[in-house]
Amino acid sequence: MQAPRGTYDVLGDQALARTALEHQARNVLEGAGYQRIETPTFEATELFARGVGAATDIVQKEMYSFDDGGGRSMTLRPEGTAPVCRAYVEHGMHKRPQPVKLWYLSTFFRHEAPQAGRYRQFWQIGAEAIGSDDPAVDAESILLLADLLEAVGVRGVRLRIGSLGTPATRAEYREELQAYLRAHEEELSDEVRGRIDLNPLRAFDSGHAGTRAVMEAAPRLLDRLAGDDAEHFAEVRGMLDEAGVPFEVDTTLVRGLDYYSRTVFEFTSDALGAQSGVGGGGRYDGLIEQIGGAPTPGMGWAAGVERMLLAAPPTPVAAMPLDLYVAYADPTRRAAAFQLAADARKWGHSAQVELAGRSLKGQLKAAGRAGARYVAICGDEGIALKDMESGEQQVVESSSVMHHIGHGI
Ligand code: HAM
């Protein structure tokens, strides 16, 4: 049996690297007042259909949906923002001081064609700030992802930002763009032509040469922003400048989810191949209303764990050091050895005990392999405690083993 296509096991150094990443994320995000949240792995399909958008690739092609046995359609979460917003509404978080700042480190599922950096089950670190439309929220959110990528050591990072304005502006712009695309229909790829009605903005994303040429001269949403949206965007840019975060304004930045309004952004890494997006996000002021809550602004991002680790030089991460390995001279001492290791752990030391019935020689080898600082050998004459650094060995009382591990032989 093998792991399903597009999934993988996390082992050894990879597991250690993930632990380090989790600590870095926690430092950056909890340092800015974000609190951890974890939501269920599956949710009602309708949450994503309404939240992420029925016309998106994610909802149309990539969701793992199933009947829960009771006639309800459930979906393995393809992303975390709609679930966090669902939780915000469900737990009445509007009563807390706003914005409510939440972060997560979770698995997500998308039925995509697997390739380097693209999986069917992947991990994201995400951060959502819900309840304020202040441009400082946008700027700080982006800054925190920049800080995280720097802490992790992601190479060749670039930031692109854009603004989508409000739904009303976008609706007007959409019509203008649709008219423009229809006027150039015969130069477009079949796929783009087929989606003029459903999702004309995706035309900016196309790799098709004819479409790209048409899109060069297409009207840009950024030029159509209403006064307060343009001002909001200017303030976000101003604060990023102030914070020394380099960015490029991208008038054609498209994201794969429908809930965005105003600020959108994406970090890419030159160290990655085709799947160069390490993290991205934006403002989603209409999402909570869309899923049945009161109108509430929100802003956030998610960054791919696999892609961050792929784009960061591997840093040696040490496994937890082993304070004590407990061996026994013969099987009659096994229970005493077991007890000594358990006691050591209670005292806050890391401890392992022989678990495979090796000979004493084999146990000492195992202790060496595990890098134990001390080895205790339970025998007829008591406990022989050996300092593996100095080579010194002494028979000690069982009651004083903990003292010796802490203070030396
Ligand atoms: P997203 O751009 O779809 O946004 O995903 C965010 C990041 O997740 C991507 O930049 C990428 O690093 C990683 N990612 C996405 N799909 C895959 C995959 N199949 N395999 C490996 N990594 C992947 C969102 O999910 C939004 N919820 C972000 C957000 C939060 N917006 C506002 N708040």
Side-chain angles (χ1 to χ4, degrees), residues 334-353:
R334 186 164 54 188
F338 183 87
Q339 189 58 45
L340 184 59
D343 282 349
R345 283 185 220 113
K346 251 182 225 152
W347 278 76
H349 302 295
S350 55
Q352 294 182 28
V353 64

Side-chain angles (χ1 to χ4, degrees), residues 4-322:
R5 209 165 116 72
T7 71
Y8 55 87
D9 302 305
V10 179
L11 306 167
D13 286 350
Q14 277 296 316
L16 290 173
R18 277 161 185 259
T19 305
L21 183 58
E22 178 170 357
H23 285 302
Q24 282 154 339
R26 187 165 171 240
N27 280 344
V28 169
L29 293 168
E30 296 192 4
Y34 280 71
Q35 291 180 345
R36 182 90 180 239
I37 181 171
E38 289 300 334
T39 59
T41 305
F42 60 89
E43 297 265 1
T45 300
E46 196 193 347
L47 174 65
F48 302 111
R50 281 213 252 162
V52 174
T56 58
D57 279 353
I58 293 181
V59 171
Q60 290 211 328
K61 306 191 258 194
E62 297 170 1
M63 298 209 298
Y64 285 92
S65 300
F66 56 95
D67 185 299
D68 72 350
R72 287 167 295 261
S73 177
M74 296 288 158
T75 292
L76 295 182
R77 57 185 173 195
E79 65 98 49
T81 310
V84 168
C85 287
R86 195 262 311 132
Y88 177 93
V89 175
E90 186 171 332
H91 300 283
M93 292 193 218
H94 63 281
K95 290 185 213 123
R96 298 189 191 173
Q98 306 293 298
V100 173
K101 297 179 285 186
L102 301 165
W103 79 279
Y104 48 88
L105 169 52
S106 325
T107 43
F108 297 91
F109 306 84
R110 294 183 194 175
H111 191 274
E112 298 191 83
Q115 62 179 90
R118 192 161 77 193
Y119 308 95
R120 291 181 170 173
Q121 174 174 357
F122 56 98
W123 292 70
Q124 286 183 346
I125 290 172
E128 315 287 353
I130 304 176
S132 164
D133 65 3
D134 193 311
V137 175
D138 307 47
E140 187 184 72
S141 170
I142 296 170
L143 176 62
L144 291 174
L145 181 49
D147 287 348
L148 176 62
L149 297 178
E150 191 184 330
V152 175
V154 174
R155 292 165 296 179
V157 171
R158 286 167 206 251
L159 166 63
R160 290 176 299 139
I161 67 172
S163 177
L164 303 178
T166 53
T169 313
R170 225 157 44 245
E172 264 173 48
Y173 168 74
R174 219 177 120 98
E175 280 178 22
E176 185 185 351
L177 184 63
Q178 281 167 334
Y180 176 83
L181 291 172
R182 281 199 197 95
H184 294 83
E185 221 163 313
E186 60 292 349
E187 297 149 68
L188 303 174
S189 73
D190 291 346
E191 201 194 346
V192 170
R193 195 178 319 120
R195 303 190 111 204
I196 292 180
D197 286 329
L198 207 57
N199 200 347
L201 274 163
R202 286 309 288 264
F204 284 111
D205 236 4
S206 171
H208 176 257
T211 307
R212 290 183 82 95
V214 171
M215 297 322 285
E216 289 271 307
R220 297 285 197 260
L221 177 55
L222 263 187
D223 301 327
R224 303 288 185 272
L225 293 188
D228 49 349
D229 293 338
E231 198 178 305
H232 191 273
F233 189 45
E235 287 189 67
V236 174
R237 295 193 318 262
M239 278 183 257
L240 288 175
D241 282 335
E242 202 70 40
V245 180
F247 63 85
E248 239 173 82
V249 171
D250 184 342
T251 54
T252 66
L253 186 60
V254 206
R255 305 258 315 129
L257 306 103
D258 272 358
Y259 49 58
Y260 293 113
S261 59
R262 292 190 158 172
T263 312
V264 282
F265 68 98
E266 204 149 74
F267 282 90
T268 54
S269 163
D270 297 341
L272 295 172
Q275 300 302 315
S276 63
V278 253
R283 186 163 271 293
Y284 45 88
D285 292 347
L287 173 55
I288 291 196
E289 202 177 357
Q290 197 73 33
I291 60 168
T296 313
M299 164 81 200
W301 49 258
V305 165
E306 296 78 11
R307 294 190 195 173
M308 283 192 276
L309 294 177
L310 277 171
T315 36
V317 193
M320 195 171 175
L322 179 60

